Amino acid sequence: MPRPRRTRAEMDELVLAIGRRQLAEHGAAGLSLREVARELGVVPSGVYRYVASRDELLTRLLEDAFSSLADAVERDLADITDPRDRMRALAHAMRTWALAHPAQWALIYGSPVPGYHAPAERTSGPGLRLTRHGLQAAADGAFRTPGTEDDDAARLSPPFVTQAVEELQVEATAPQVTAATRAWTALLGAVSAEVFGHFGPLSPDDGAALLEAALEIHLD
């Protein structure tokens, strides 16, 4: 009995699933449309009906990873109102997702893929969902903001601040944008260091404690 034909939506989801598996096994540089075609059960030229190029597959995987991460974080934030508690929950939810999906984390926050430039019109929206939460936490008073003369040199430039406020659509002051950016950098650094093994083997408790320590420096 012939196998039922898959719908286009089913084929698109299968392409993503194959891409995720390749990403986990070989990294972004090892993505192969020929292998995608083999797993889809089509001739090599037939794969282009479902994915136009390796760059298109990378873009879909980026959109998928950003959306999966943001969905996981927003589920954990749903019932939390205190801005400091929201930021802690966001950080630990990101860490949990990253440890469960290290290859997708590497695609988002690791080294750029040689020769590939993500189309902003497709990846910026999904990518900004998380940073919007971070800046909103700053605007709501979660972080210490730079206010002394000694801190002036470390503040971000007006163009950077303006772009952040406009892109993220959060009403925030320049010190709040600076504070959010500092905390975000610390958060990404702590999670990436654990995911990529820069501290050597870490127990789950030590990884969580290091993330908490990196974030606590910035919380008000």
Side-chain angles (χ1 to χ4, degrees):
M1 188 172 179
R3 186 174 62 183
R5 294 188 64 180
R6 296 187 180 98
T7 66
R8 178 57 189 247
E10 289 172 334
M11 291 297 282
D12 286 343
E13 182 52 43
L14 186 54
V15 167
L16 265 181
I18 295 168
R20 291 188 207 105
R21 187 163 60 250
Q22 287 191 18
L23 199 62
E25 293 175 357
H26 308 296
L31 291 177
S32 166
L33 290 190
R34 181 175 291 275
E35 182 63 19
V36 172
R38 188 188 69 77
E39 295 198 41
L40 287 177
V42 300
V43 297
S45 60
V47 74
Y48 299 110
R49 293 177 57 193
Y50 306 105
V51 57
S53 64
R54 184 207 68 152
D55 283 6
E56 169 64 19
L57 179 56
L58 275 168
T59 298
R60 288 196 206 174
L61 288 168
L62 265 175
E63 291 174 310
D64 176 63
F66 274 128
S67 296
S68 173
L69 173 55
D71 287 345
V73 168
E74 289 173 352
R75 281 194 295 269
D76 281 14
L77 296 183
D79 299 319
I80 303 174
T81 56
D82 180 83
R84 288 164 291 277
D85 291 343
R86 284 179 66 82
M87 197 61 208
R88 285 193 176 94
L90 181 150
H92 286 282
M94 288 181 70
R95 173 179 174 268
T96 297
W97 186 92
L99 292 172
H101 306 89
Q104 288 174 281
W105 178 268
L107 180 63
I108 297 173
Y109 294 118
S111 300
V113 180
Y116 171 72
H117 300 283
E121 67 275 10
R122 291 181 57 181
T123 57
S124 290
L128 292 177
R129 281 174 62 187
L130 286 177
T131 46
R132 183 174 295 113
H133 286 295
L135 185 54
Q136 187 63 61
D140 292 340
F143 303 120
R144 298 185 187 94
T145 55
T148 67
E149 291 184 3
D150 291 339
D151 253 343
D152 283 346
R155 291 190 186 182
L156 297 169
S157 68
F160 184 100
V161 170
T162 299
Q163 181 178 356
V165 169
E166 290 178 352
E167 285 188 347
L168 298 175
Q169 298 180 338
V170 174
E171 292 185 11
T173 65
Q176 287 169 341
V177 172
T178 297
T181 305
R182 290 174 175 177
W184 196 255
T185 301
L187 188 166
L188 295 183
V191 174
S192 292
E194 183 178 5
V195 170
F196 301 143
H198 296 318
F199 292 131
L202 283 178
S203 72
D205 287 347
D206 284 338
L210 285 171
L211 175 60
E212 190 69 29
L215 193 60
E216 187 64 32
I217 295 170
H218 302 278
L219 290 173
D220 196 1

